[in-house]
Amino acid sequence: MAQARDDARRSPTSDQLRTWRAFVETTDALRSRLSARLQVESGLSSSDYVVLLALHDAEGRCLRSSALADAVGWERSRLSHQIGRMERRGLVARRGGRAAGVALTDDGAATFRRASVAHLRLVRQLFVDALSDEQLAAAGEIAAALRAALDSPATSSGAVRTGG
């Protein structure tokens, strides 16, 4: 147990920090490039696209607000403001009543389909084609490991997981 505490207190090595920084800077640059092109080519922000994707994938193209917030990983207040902006543009519609939710409109679905063509082409160009099959598999494993660590009770409460 003492070893785990010592490991948790120890700072990352220079090599580990260099890798971390390269990872953060590269993912930020990739996300920025994808977002900028999405905006220019479709008029959608990356936030618009994330919401449209979640609704597109939902059964009946509709989700309760709480389920949509969970799907996109946002607080309900942020989602409410985003939905308001998208509703004014005709991309989504709020559904009232007991099971209040958000639905993808026909215009929203068409906009999403058009945006996806160019967006997925750029994902292929900047991400898929830049990596070998082995690197893509490793990236998937790395993403899964990071997601598992982020979703674990130990790290979500602020505690640090140590070890393998």
Side-chain angles (χ1 to χ4, degrees), residues 70-131:
D70 289 344
V72 299
W74 296 347
E75 296 293 324
R76 298 259 326 252
S77 62
R78 176 180 178 190
L79 179 65
S80 180
H81 289 290
Q82 180 68 34
I83 294 304
R85 289 188 292 273
M86 294 175 74
E87 191 174 30
R88 286 189 291 279
R89 291 168 32 221
L91 301 172
V92 300
R94 293 182 206 254
R95 299 281 160 91
R98 193 167 187 279
V102 179
L104 183 63
T105 64
D106 290 341
D107 284 347
T111 299
F112 174 75
R113 280 191 302 276
R114 283 191 305 272
S116 290
V117 172
H119 181 67
L120 294 176
R121 190 177 315 118
L122 190 60
V123 167
R124 170 165 284 290
Q125 177 188 347
L126 297 178
F127 183 73
V128 175
D129 291 347
L131 302 173

Side-chain angles (χ1 to χ4, degrees), residues 23 127 135-151:
F23 175 80
F127 183 73
Q135 290 170 321
L136 277 170
E141 291 171 12
I142 291 166
L146 291 171
R147 174 52 61 191
L150 290 169
D151 290 345

Side-chain angles (χ1 to χ4, degrees), residues 27-39:
T27 55
D28 284 350
L30 183 60
R31 193 176 304 114
S32 177
R33 180 90 51 97
L34 287 166
S35 294
R37 287 275 294 273
L38 182 66
Q39 181 74 50

